[in-house]
Amino acid sequence: MADEYPDRQSLAEIEATIGSIKKMLAVGAVFAAVGYLLIGAALFFELTSFHPLLENFFASFPDTSLAGGSGGTRGGAVNATLAAIHKWPSTLLWLKLGGVGHILVGIFIALGAIVRALSVMPHRLSYEMERAQE
């Protein structure tokens, strides 16, 4: 049972695997970078467009709620402002969820690369031990 070791991989196979691991890490880094850009864009738009729009609405129409209810009749300006406000949360949610999804995919790919690197380590170690004994 102890003498049934798997054959060790050739140096060319190990180098090819290391090359594919580097590609996997690069792809994972790209996914993570895109995710961070999406989340950064969501925060940027929220702070520069959405919050000022809310502050302007509450300053201009203090007796109207965001849900659209008010004590009297509403004009076109109130409806246009409410429509502009109501379109932002779905855009911000899409950017944030897309960013988190990209980051998680990048982490998953990087973890796959780590597992592949760990599977190659015994083969590389055997070559290094052989070289050290010479």
Side-chain angles (χ1 to χ4, degrees):
M1 187 90 144
D3 57 348
E4 296 179 11
Y5 294 114
D7 294 332
R8 86 178 165 181
Q9 295 178 351
S10 68
L11 286 175
E13 289 175 319
I14 292 173
E15 291 302 320
T17 303
I18 291 172
S20 67
I21 290 170
K22 289 179 182 178
K23 289 177 189 171
M24 287 177 70
L25 289 174
V27 168
V30 167
F31 269 98
V34 168
Y36 284 116
L37 287 174
L38 286 171
I39 290 176
L43 291 174
F44 176 78
F45 288 137
E46 186 171 354
L47 295 175
T48 61
S49 298
F50 184 60
H51 286 296
L53 195 61
L54 286 175
E55 290 172 6
N56 186 23
F57 175 79
F58 288 125
S60 300
F61 310 106
D63 60 339
T64 305
S65 72
L66 280 177
S70 64
T73 60
R74 294 190 315 237
V78 176
N79 289 336
T81 306
L82 281 173
I85 288 173
H86 287 167
K87 82 172 182 81
W88 273 104
S90 63
T91 303
L92 294 174
L93 181 65
W94 179 85
L95 287 170
K96 289 177 184 176
L97 289 178
V100 169
H102 275 80
I103 291 170
L104 290 177
V105 167
I107 290 171
F108 179 76
I109 292 172
L111 287 175
I114 291 170
V115 167
R116 288 190 70 192
L118 289 174
S119 70
V120 172
M121 291 314 260
H123 301 286
R124 289 193 64 171
L125 182 61
S126 71
Y127 280 105
E128 291 299 323
M129 288 175 65
E130 181 181 306
R131 193 175 69 174
Q133 288 177 353
E134 292 175 356

